[in-house]
């Protein structure tokens, strides 16, 4: 909701009035219709940011229409628009999706992030990690047009009790949003990556 209101409050009152009507229609349709996509149409009459906002919310309400609550979280988390350059809601998986006690007691995961987020520990607020070092390296240095010189791959060890979801794609491990790392270090920085000819 914080993410939603930050975006919503950036718009002027005229668009907010339009958005309110569209969102109410989406909410009603998501609760009553078994064919949400046929009853609610995309909004394409505003600016790029306005259209993007409404269409992202459309996707969220569509997931609510077809899913149970936890499945809706998962559907939005996995949505094809997540992580792209455009705005899409940040979804927190609030509880374990499955029992992961059969996993090793400690698991090593990787994440591509900025050096600043490592230094101020804000990376700990993110749930999405991977068990594949090369995937983390790709996200650190080759995605979304980040300044590569400010990017690092970090590795952390966590308890299996902090695993909330293991997804097959990109060998992703979704962690408890309040996880406590057992260890965390920079595995690879820009200078090392560049020196080794990896980017």
């Amino acid at each position: 909701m914080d993410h939603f209101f930050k975006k919503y409050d950036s718009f002027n009152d005229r668009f907010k009035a339009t958005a309110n009507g569209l969102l109410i229609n989406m909410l009603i349709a998501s609760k009553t219709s078994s064919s949400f996509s046929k009853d609610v149409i995309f909004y394409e009459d505003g600016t790029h940011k306005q259209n993007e906002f409404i269409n992202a919310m459309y996707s969220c309400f569509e997931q609510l229409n077809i899913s149970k609550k936890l499945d809706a979280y998962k559907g939005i988390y996995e949505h094809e628009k997540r992580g792209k350059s455009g705005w899409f809601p940040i979804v927190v998986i609030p509880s374990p999706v499955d029992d992961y006690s059969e996993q090793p007691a400690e698991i090593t995961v990787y994440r591509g992030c900025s050096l600043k987020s490592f230094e101020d520990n804000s990376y700990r607020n993110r749930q999405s990690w991977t068990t594949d070092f090369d995937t983390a390296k790709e996200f650190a240095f080759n995605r979304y047009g980040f300044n590569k010189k400010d990017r690092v791959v970090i590795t952390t060890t966590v308890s299996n009790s902090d695993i909330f979801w293991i997804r097959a794609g990109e060998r992703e491990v979704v962690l408890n949003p309040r996880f406590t790392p057992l260890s965390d270090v920079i595995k690879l920085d820009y200078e090392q990556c560049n020196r080794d000819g990896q980017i």
Side-chain angles (χ1 to χ4, degrees):
M1 292 305 292
D2 289 343
H3 190 75
F4 166 83
F5 279 112
K6 181 178 179 182
K7 190 68 176 181
Y8 177 82
D9 289 337
S10 72
F11 296 117
N12 63 36
D13 290 341
R14 183 175 178 192
F15 177 70
K16 284 181 184 176
T18 299
N20 292 344
L22 291 166
L23 294 171
I24 288 169
N25 289 342
M26 289 180 198
L27 178 62
I28 292 168
S30 72
K31 290 180 178 292
T32 61
S33 171
S34 60
S35 57
F36 179 79
S37 60
K38 294 178 183 174
D39 295 336
V40 182
I41 60 169
F42 282 104
Y43 177 75
E44 297 177 341
D45 298 330
T47 66
H48 173 72
K49 287 186 177 182
Q50 292 168 344
N51 296 345
E52 186 177 55
F53 172 73
I54 293 297
N55 293 334
M57 296 313 300
Y58 172 95
S59 294
C60 294
F61 280 109
E62 183 179 37
Q63 286 299 318
L64 288 172
N65 178 247
I66 62 176
S67 307
K68 297 176 186 173
K69 186 172 183 179
L70 185 56
D71 287 338
Y73 280 109
K74 288 166 60 179
I76 296 168
Y77 191 95
E78 291 181 307
H79 198 278
E80 63 182 10
K81 292 182 183 176
R82 179 178 75 101
K84 301 273 170 87
S85 59
W87 181 82
F88 201 74
I90 295 171
V91 177
V92 175
I93 301 298
S95 59
V97 169
D98 207 342
D99 176 14
Y100 298 105
S101 59
E102 296 299 319
Q103 293 291 321
E106 296 180 3
I107 185 171
T108 299
V109 291
Y110 305 92
R111 180 174 174 84
C113 67
S114 70
L115 179 59
K116 181 180 183 299
S117 69
F118 177 76
E119 291 172 341
D120 67 13
N121 291 325
S122 61
Y123 76 91
R124 294 182 184 178
N125 300 328
R126 304 311 296 259
Q127 286 192 286
S128 183
W129 295 74
T130 180
T131 56
D132 182 57
F133 172 73
D134 288 332
T135 296
K137 188 169 70 173
E138 173 71 16
F139 275 88
F141 299 109
N142 298 316
R143 295 280 181 102
Y144 312 128
F146 292 122
N147 177 1
K148 293 181 182 183
K149 294 181 180 179
D150 178 49
R151 304 291 290 172
V152 294
V153 175
I154 57 176
T155 181
T156 188
T157 304
V158 296
S159 166
N160 65 7
S161 63
D162 279 324
I163 300 172
F164 273 16
W165 190 16
I166 295 178
R167 295 182 58 227
E170 297 166 348
R171 292 168 56 185
E172 184 175 7
V173 178
V174 179
L175 298 180
N176 179 339
R178 293 167 297 284
F179 79 94
T180 302
L182 304 175
S183 68
D184 55 352
V185 296
I186 293 176
K187 174 82 172 172
L188 184 70
D189 63 21
Y190 173 79
E191 287 186 14
Q192 292 168 309
C193 202
N194 196 38
R195 184 175 61 241
D196 297 342
Q198 297 181 48
I199 55 174

